Amino acid sequence: SASSDEKDLVIIGGGVAGYVAAIKAGQEGLNVTCIEKRGVLGGTCLNVGCIPSKSLLNNSHLYHQILHDTKNRGIEVGDVKLNLANLMKAKDSSVNGLTKGIEFLFKKNGVEYIKGEASFVNEHEIKVALNEGGETSVKGKNILIATGSEATPFPGLEIDEKRVITSTGALSLEKIPESMLVIGGGIIGLEMASVWSRLGTKVTVVEFLGQIGGPGMDTEVSKTIQKLLKKQGLEFKLNTKVLSGDASGEKVQLSVDSVKGGKEETLDAETVLVAIGRRPYTAGLGLENIGLETDERGRVIIDSEYRTKHPHIRSVGDVTFGPMLAHKAEEEAVAAIEHIKKGHGHVNYAAIPSVMYTHPEVAWVGQSEQDLKNQNIPYRVGTFPFSANSRAKTNLDTDGLVKMLADPETDRLLGVHIVGPNAGEMIAEGTLALEYGASSEDIARTCHAHPTLAEAFKEAAMATHGKAIHF
Ligand code: FAD
Ligand code: NAI
C-alpha cells in the first residue's frame, strides 16, 4: 500500500493491553489500527480470563451459600438445583456484553479494527491474514506489540480441554467432574478449584512450593486462606512436584513426589487442570523478520519507555515484563500512548494490586513481610481480624484479617495484605494510600463510615500506628 496509508499507530492484539491503547490513541487524535485474530476484542481477560472466571466464581458462590449458609440466617429454601448450562449462559452473556462494548468504544474513538493474524514483514510493515480469508498489509509510524500470553503446558500431558484442561477448559466444562487434580496452587488453580469444588467436584491441589497463592502472597495470609479453603473441602498437597502425567486410561493419572524426594505416589482423577503459570505469546508474529529477540522466558525485551530495540516498536501487557494482570496491562497501554504522543508516561510498579477472587477474597498491594525480611528492611505490623468488625459480624462473614506493614521510623505504608470479605474492593484504599505515600496514622485518622468492612482497614492502620479500638 502507498505510504499515505501509513498509520500513526498499528496495534497487534486486541486484549486489554491492545484495546486500551487503541482507545487512548483514538482519544489523543492518533490515526490507529488494531489487529486481532480471535474474532472478538478483549483478549484473554474478557473471553477466557478475568470476566468469565468471575462470573463462575460469583454464581458458584451464591449456589454454595444457598446450599450451606442460609439456615442460620433464618432463610429456609426448598429444593436447590444447579443448571450448569444456564450458569454457563449467564457467563457468556456477561462476556458478550463486554466484548461488544469494546467494539462500540472503537467506533466511538475512530479506531480501525482488522480481524486477522498479524506478522511483521519488516520494521514498518505488517501483513495480516484476514479471518474472512485473503490478506492485507498495514504500515505504521509506530507499532505496539500486545499479543499477550497463553497457558504454559505441562510436558507430556496433552491438553484436550475436556479431561486435561487449562483455565480455558475449566471455564466451560459441560458436566461437573466427580474429581479434579489441579497442578499448581497459584491464582488460576485456586479460583478454578473453588468454582468446581462448590459445584460438587472433589478437588485436590498439588503445589510445588510450601504455600499456596502463587508469587507475592504474604505467608500469613496464604496460611489463613489455605485453612479456609480446606474447610470448604479443597485438599492440598504442598511441597509436592508432579513428575509426569498419563491420560491414556479411564482416569487421568499423575505421578507425584515430595520436593525432597522419596515419597513417590500416583494420583488419579476424572479431570486434570494444568495451572502452572502463563507464558508470553509471540508465535507466528515474525519477530525474527525484524531481528527482535525475546528473553529466556519468551518475553519481548523493552526499555523503561516500552521501546524494543527499534524505538518506534513498543510492547506492553502479558507479552513483556511484569505481573500478568489486566490492570497492569491497562496502565502500561495508557503510558505507552502518552510516550508516543507526549514524550512521557508513567506506571508505578510498586503500587499494583493483586486480587484472588476466592471466598473470602485475598488482596494485597506493596511489599509482603517476606519481601521486607529478605531485603533487611525494618517494618512495623498492625493487624485487625474481621471477627471484630461489626459489619462482618452482621453479615455472618467474619473469616480473615487486614494486615498492614509500615516503616517504623517514618510510619510510611509499605504494604497491605487482606484476606476477608470484599478484600478485592478494599485493596483500592490501600493502593491509593501507597500511591500518595500515606502513613498508617494518615489512614487511622481518616473517618470511615460505620458499619462497614472498611473499618477493619482503618483499625489495622490504628494497630500499626498505635492501638485498635475494637480488638
Ligand atoms: P491478552 O489478553 O492475552 O490479549 C492478547 C490478544 O492478542 C489476544 O486476543 C490474541 O488473540 C491476540 N493476538 C496474539 N497474537 C496475535 C497476532 N499475531 N495477530 C493478531 N492478534 C494476535 N488478570 C486480572 O487482572 N484479574 C483477573 O481476575 C484475572 N483473571 C484471569 C483468569 C484467567 C483464567 C486467566 C487465564 C487470566 C486472568 N487474568 C486476570 C490475567 C489477564 O487475563 C491478563 O493479564 C490480560 O488478559 C493481559 O492482557 P494482554 O492484552 O496483554 O493479553
Ligand atoms: P502462578 O504463577 O500464579 O501459579 C502457578 C503455581 O504452580 C505456582 O505456585 C508454582 O509453584 C506451581 N507449579 C509450577 N509447576 C509445578 C509443578 N510441576 N508441580 C506443582 N506445582 C507447580 O500461575 P497461574 O495460577 O497459572 O496464573 C497465571 C497468571 O494469570 C498469573 O500471572 C496470574 O497473575 C494471572 N491470573 C490472575 C488472576 C487474578 O488476578 N485474579 C486470576 C487468574 C490468573
Side-chain angles (χ1 to χ4, degrees):
S1 46
S3 66
S4 62
D5 287 352
E6 193 175 60
K7 295 276 176 178
D8 293 329
L9 174 64
V10 177
I11 299 170
I12 306 175
V16 174
Y19 92 69
V20 169
I23 292 171
K24 178 75 180 165
Q27 290 171 349
E28 293 290 343
L30 297 177
N31 186 355
V32 56
T33 295
C34 180
I35 308 164
E36 168 58 58
K37 66 173 180 174
R38 189 184 294 267
V40 273
L41 295 169
T44 303
C45 178
L46 272 74
N47 292 287
V48 288
C50 329
I51 299 304
S53 61
K54 266 77 260 182
S55 170
L56 294 185
L57 278 158
N58 188 56
N59 292 335
S60 64
H61 173 64
L62 268 176
Y63 170 68
H64 194 255
Q65 182 167 26
I66 292 168
L67 282 182
H68 303 288
D69 185 24
T70 46
K71 249 198 203 132
N72 57 334
R73 297 170 188 275
I75 304 166
E76 285 172 24
V77 287
D79 237 7
V80 182
K81 283 200 205 102
L82 182 82
N83 184 325
L84 186 62
N86 284 348
L87 188 94
M88 292 296 171
K89 265 193 204 154
K91 172 204 71 174
D92 292 338
S93 120
S94 303
V95 169
N96 292 337
L98 287 164
T99 56
K100 289 272 152 31
I102 299 170
E103 268 191 56
F104 165 78
L105 291 171
F106 268 23
K107 290 201 181 96
K108 187 178 159 196
N109 291 287
V111 177
E112 183 190 33
Y113 169 27
I114 301 179
K115 293 186 186 176
E117 183 170 16
S119 67
F120 282 98
V121 176
N122 58 47
E123 287 158 32
H124 284 280
E125 188 177 353
I126 290 161
K127 88 175 171 225
V128 189
L130 297 168
N131 288 1
E132 59 181 28
E135 207 177 272
T136 188
S137 105
V138 282
K139 287 184 176 172
K141 281 191 200 101
N142 293 283
I143 296 170
L144 185 69
I145 301 171
T147 49
S149 63
E150 62 177 350
T152 306
F154 186 84
L157 258 185
E158 201 178 322
I159 305 287
D160 62 13
E161 296 296 11
K162 291 200 157 56
R163 297 168 73 230
V164 180
I165 59 179
T166 66
S167 51
T168 300
L171 293 169
S172 53
L173 290 178
E174 282 164 12
K175 72 181 257 297
I176 299 164
E178 159 261 318
S179 55
M180 182 184 286
L181 282 166
V182 178
I183 313 180
I187 298 203
I188 291 188
L190 298 178
E191 288 188 353
M192 292 301 103
S194 290
V195 166
W196 292 103
S197 156
R198 290 164 186 171
L199 301 183
T201 304
K202 178 92 212 72
V203 184
T204 305
V205 177
V206 184
E207 168 58 52
F208 184 83
L209 299 175
Q211 72 174 60
I212 59 168
M217 192 179 287
D218 186 89
T219 299
E220 185 180 5
V221 163
S222 172
K223 289 210 170 100
T224 307
I225 187 67
Q226 191 189 338
K227 254 187 241 148
L228 297 171
L229 292 175
K230 190 153 189 249
K231 263 207 296 201
Q232 293 169 24
L234 294 191
E235 269 189 46
F236 294 98
K237 281 185 144 332
L238 302 189
N239 300 304
T240 304
K241 62 184 170 200
V242 178
L243 303 170
S244 63
D246 178 3
S248 62
E250 197 188 317
K251 288 192 163 183
V252 188
Q253 293 193 328
L254 294 183
S255 132
V256 306
D257 196 358
S258 74
V259 168
K260 284 192 196 132
K263 283 194 180 164
E264 217 169 302
E265 61 175 318
T266 303
L267 308 173
D268 62 30
E270 197 180 320
T271 312
V272 167
L273 169 63
V274 178
I276 56 173
R278 293 179 63 81
R279 64 183 187 191
Y281 180 79
T282 52
L285 191 55
L287 288 182
E288 64 284 359
N289 299 337
I290 54 169
L292 271 196
E293 275 148 36
T294 53
D295 75 353
E296 77 291 350
R297 287 163 64 183
R299 298 174 293 197
V300 173
I301 298 168
I302 51 167
D303 66 11
S304 62
E305 298 183 7
Y306 310 104
R307 289 177 301 208
T308 65
K309 75 175 189 198
H310 305 302
H312 70 290
I313 305 179
R314 289 179 154 85
S315 181
V316 295
D318 280 12
V319 75
T320 186
F321 308 120
M324 289 185 171
L325 295 171
H327 42 280
K328 173 267 193 185
E330 176 165 2
E331 294 300 308
E332 288 186 339
V334 169
I337 299 305
E338 289 180 331
H339 275 294
I340 291 172
K341 180 73 187 179
K342 304 171 179 165
H344 53 82
H346 181 67
V347 176
N348 180 4
Y349 289 94
I352 295 179
S354 293
V355 181
M356 178 167 89
Y357 297 84
T358 46
H359 188 86
E361 292 177 347
V362 177
W364 68 96
V365 66
Q367 314 219 54
S368 69
E369 217 174 327
Q370 293 68 49
D371 293 336
L372 296 169
K373 272 191 191 136
N374 292 341
Q375 301 165 83
N376 285 316
I377 298 175
Y379 58 90
R380 204 155 56 200
V381 191
T383 58
F384 191 82
F386 282 101
S387 58
N389 171 272
S390 57
R391 188 64 187 276
K393 271 245 181 320
T394 63
N395 292 351
L396 300 176
D397 198 4
T398 52
D399 288 328
L401 59 98
V402 180
K403 169 172 174 177
M404 243 172 235
L405 303 161
D407 186 306
E409 291 284 321
T410 65
D411 191 33
R412 189 183 175 122
L413 198 63
L414 298 171
V416 180
H417 303 268
I418 309 171
V419 48
N422 264 325
E425 299 292 337
M426 200 181 295
I427 203 64
E429 191 173 351
T431 309
L432 196 64
L434 263 194
E435 191 68 58
Y436 277 70
S439 63
S440 74
E441 185 180 358
D442 289 330
I443 301 168
R445 291 188 184 280
T446 302
C447 182
H448 284 64
H450 177 75
T452 58
L453 297 168
E455 286 175 289
F457 186 82
K458 174 193 159 102
E459 293 230 38
M462 293 173 92
T464 312
H465 169 249
K467 277 199 169 97
I469 295 288
H470 294 95
F471 186 68

